[in-house]
Amino acid sequence: MSVIWRVLLPIICLWTAGIIFMLSFNNNNNELSKNYSLFKSVCENIYFKQCTQSRRAWLNCIENVSSRNRPNGLNQSDFITTWPPSSITSLIDDELPIINLALRAAFTKDAENPLNNKHYQHFRSLTESMKDGRGLWSWQYNLFPQMLDFNKLIVDVENGIPLTNLPINNLEIFALRLPKYVCNPCRRQIIPDLIVVIKSCSYCTAERDHARNTFMQKHLWTNFTVQFVFVVGVPYPNESNMFTFSKHKFKLKNSWWALSRKHGRDRWTFMKRLAMEAELHEDLLIGSFHDTYFNLTTKLIFTFRWLSALCPATVPLFIFVDNDYDLVPRNVIMYYKNKSADELRDLAAGHRNEYRFVIRPYYDGNISNIWAVTLKEFPWALYPAYLCGATFMLGSNIVKRLAIASAFTQHIRVDDAYLGILFSKLNILPQNLDVISLGNGVCNVQSGAINIPLSESKRIIDWKTGWLK
């Protein structure tokens, strides 16, 4: 009997080990297959395609993404990652098969809620004690929440060191649709010299077509590799031009509202056309936020996160341009080639706004200026130095820092001013460039201006050559 067991025992052990191995292999293989399928669905924008199959699907998707509004985003003590993240898989949402651009960072289990911080409490008591008026005439912008050592913060986030402070502005923002050829981690990428971010709106189809037929033409960028992307949000089913912030009324009368009214009876049909445009041109980055003037700060943060997380680290420079401005390719290339790669990476430059007075809302119940913010939102009389949003340039090192800092800087609606606050937090003084202006004409273009209002370019630029008529 003992002889039989000596023969059978090794066989039984090997058989058992084989079963365990096969089960383990199958589990790992299933997990690998699951991850691959999820990765592939994100790469191919499957969720967005499903959302735009029917009116009901679109309404369901809008409800899904708008309901995901966790106060401080993804603040998990056991979530270990870095920013920029090492892999796209760490950006895939835990509920929806899309990329979630809330800042992924590690936090200690006892990380402090920003609303409980003593500096925040001081800020709140300061603003609540203020009555009507212009505001503080000091320069202590570091008091604006959150009051942190931002240089240390950024180093810690980059290296995955757990943070002791939770962020105050880390709402979840989803990339509903990724462009196919720009900063797409699912494809072998061409590394461009420059990426141009065109701040568009969901309804701005005509302006996008104009850009594609003018300064985006490939033959105008000789011996230079440039990629273009339009950043838009989505229209919502029940849009209004009346908004209320801090009990004050605001009314939009701009082109956005005119276009919204134009499509008001059937926004689903427009959404379907937007999906078709994205499929045709593959140059739209579509975010989950409602695309209105008052969400421009959200759009800016969304763009910084996408650029820093998904674009190749070797791209040195990004140009941001409003969709009512054109670029002058010859002058852009000339400016770029006169700078070293290191200079481009650390660049923060544009048309610096000298009028920095904070506009206050009306307190008598009348409709307020769309740029107005309350004393509770921003108690200073002047904004920090900021760049006009029409056209500005940011190096890749700057964009990465802005992407991180934005999660720890309280939100305000005025996007240009918010960017200035981020600059202040990071001790960055934006450069004023003569080649960027709000009203460039013939003389400016001849002198090297890189941007020109769309209305002016139609009159003076021959887009066959990209130069003056």
Side-chain angles (χ1 to χ4, degrees):
M1 181 67 70
S2 61
V3 174
I4 295 173
W5 274 110
R6 279 199 297 271
V7 174
L8 289 178
L9 190 59
I11 296 173
I12 293 170
C13 290
L14 286 171
W15 179 79
T16 304
I19 294 295
I20 293 172
F21 173 79
M22 290 301 296
L23 289 173
S24 174
F25 177 81
N26 286 335
N27 287 337
N28 289 337
N29 199 41
N30 289 338
E31 188 65 28
L32 182 64
S33 176
K34 178 182 176 183
N35 287 338
Y36 174 76
S37 299
L38 184 59
F39 178 81
K40 186 177 180 181
S41 69
V42 170
C43 292
E44 296 181 1
N45 296 306
I46 298 299
Y47 183 74
F48 182 77
K49 291 176 181 177
Q50 292 172 343
C51 288
T52 52
Q53 286 299 307
S54 68
R55 186 193 307 271
R56 176 172 291 183
W58 177 55
L59 294 175
N60 287 339
C61 287
I62 291 293
E63 183 178 352
N64 286 340
V65 297
S66 60
S67 65
R68 290 285 303 281
N69 196 20
R70 289 181 274 201
N72 292 310
L74 301 175
N75 301 329
Q76 303 176 30
S77 60
D78 58 347
F79 195 92
I80 306 299
T81 187
T82 60
W83 196 277
S86 58
S87 168
I88 185 178
T89 54
S90 64
L91 293 174
I92 298 175
D93 186 61
D94 53 3
E95 295 179 20
L96 301 172
I98 48 178
I99 286 178
N100 185 340
L101 287 170
L103 186 77
R104 306 297 182 104
F107 300 92
T108 60
K109 291 185 177 180
D110 59 347
E112 185 178 43
N113 186 316
L115 304 185
N116 297 332
N117 182 274
K118 64 179 181 180
H119 299 297
Y120 179 81
Q121 296 298 329
H122 173 65
F123 175 81
R124 295 310 304 166
S125 62
L126 175 69
T127 58
E128 288 170 1
S129 65
M130 298 178 70
K131 305 301 180 183
D132 297 352
R134 298 292 304 178
L136 300 171
W137 292 96
S138 70
W139 305 92
Q140 295 177 303
Y141 299 120
N142 63 320
L143 291 176
F144 189 77
Q146 291 170 263
M147 190 173 177
L148 300 168
D149 181 344
F150 275 78
N151 288 330
K152 181 180 184 302
L153 168 76
I154 289 170
V155 171
D156 288 348
V157 171
E158 288 177 328
N159 291 285
I161 298 172
L163 307 177
T164 58
N165 296 90
L166 295 177
I168 199 169
N169 186 34
N170 195 25
L171 294 179
E172 296 170 282
I173 319 173
F174 303 100
L176 294 180
R177 195 186 196 287
L178 300 172
K180 189 173 184 178
Y181 302 109
V182 185
C183 302
N184 190 327
C186 311
R187 302 172 60 89
R188 178 176 292 178
Q189 300 191 47
I190 296 173
I191 308 299
D193 298 305
L194 169 70
I195 292 176
V196 175
V197 177
I198 303 168
K199 297 178 288 177
S200 187
C201 76
S202 54
Y203 294 122
C204 298
T205 309
E207 288 83 352
R208 288 192 291 274
D209 285 340
H210 166 83
R212 294 183 186 113
N213 294 324
T214 55
F215 67 87
M216 286 176 60
Q217 295 178 94
K218 189 174 182 179
H219 74 271
L220 300 179
W221 301 86
T222 308
N223 299 321
F224 192 80
T225 307
V226 59
Q227 293 178 341
F228 300 90
V229 61
F230 297 96
V231 182
V232 303
V234 290
Y236 269 36
N238 300 307
E239 292 180 339
S240 168
N241 68 332
M242 291 299 300
F243 296 80
T244 301
F245 302 107
S246 301
K247 299 181 181 180
H248 295 280
K249 297 177 182 178
F250 299 83
K251 185 176 183 178
L252 288 177
K253 301 178 182 179
N254 59 4
S255 58
W256 169 83
W257 177 237
L259 291 168
S260 176
R261 291 181 64 188
K262 178 181 177 181
H263 300 286
R265 291 186 177 180
D266 196 359
R267 290 194 180 92
W268 152 245
T269 301
F270 174 80
M271 189 63 205
K272 186 66 176 177
R273 288 206 299 268
L274 183 67
M276 292 171 64
E277 179 190 354
E279 190 75 19
L280 175 64
H281 296 286
E282 291 291 358
D283 56 7
L284 267 67
L285 171 64
I286 302 178
S288 60
F289 49 88
H290 184 198
D291 206 344
T292 78
Y293 182 86
F294 293 123
N295 269 341
L296 290 179
T297 295
T298 301
K299 180 182 289 187
L300 190 69
I301 295 170
F302 170 75
T303 306
F304 290 158
R305 299 271 174 80
W306 175 73
L307 291 172
S308 62
L310 297 181
C311 291
T314 49
V315 179
L317 184 67
F318 307 101
I319 292 182
F320 299 76
V321 58
D322 280 348
N323 69 352
D324 54 356
Y325 276 77
D326 291 340
L327 295 179
V328 183
R330 185 186 303 186
N331 289 345
V332 172
I333 295 170
M334 181 172 62
Y335 179 87
Y336 183 101
K337 291 189 174 180
N338 283 331
K339 298 286 183 182
S340 69
D342 288 340
E343 287 177 314
L344 293 173
R345 292 182 192 285
D346 291 323
L347 189 64
H351 180 79
R352 199 163 60 208
N353 197 337
E354 299 305 325
Y355 185 87
R356 293 160 42 203
F357 287 98
V358 179
I359 299 172
R360 299 301 180 190
Y362 295 120
Y363 293 92
D364 56 4
N366 287 325
I367 294 172
S368 297
N369 187 299
I370 60 172
W371 292 296
V373 296
T374 65
L375 288 164
K376 287 186 177 181
E377 291 175 293
F378 192 80
W380 289 272
L382 294 174
Y383 288 119
Y386 67 89
L387 300 172
C388 292
T391 308
F392 57 90
M393 296 187 280
L394 297 175
S396 55
N397 290 343
I398 301 297
V399 167
K400 178 175 63 176
R401 297 176 69 195
L402 292 168
I404 296 170
S406 60
F408 298 85
T409 304
Q410 186 165 285
H411 187 281
I412 65 169
R413 295 180 300 280
V414 185
D415 58 323
D416 296 357
Y418 184 77
L419 181 56
I421 295 169
L422 292 178
F423 285 151
S424 176
K425 292 282 187 182
L426 296 170
N427 295 315
I428 296 170
L429 180 62
Q431 299 178 34
N432 187 64
L433 293 181
D434 292 336
V435 296
I436 294 179
S437 176
L438 302 184
N440 285 322
V442 172
C443 294
N444 306 90
V445 172
Q446 290 173 332
S447 300
I450 71 165
N451 72 324
I452 184 170
L454 184 153
S455 57
E456 185 71 4
S457 75
K458 290 180 178 179
R459 187 178 65 84
I460 67 173
I461 300 292
D462 177 1
W463 287 113
K464 291 181 181 179
T465 64
W467 195 242
L468 298 168
K469 292 180 179 179

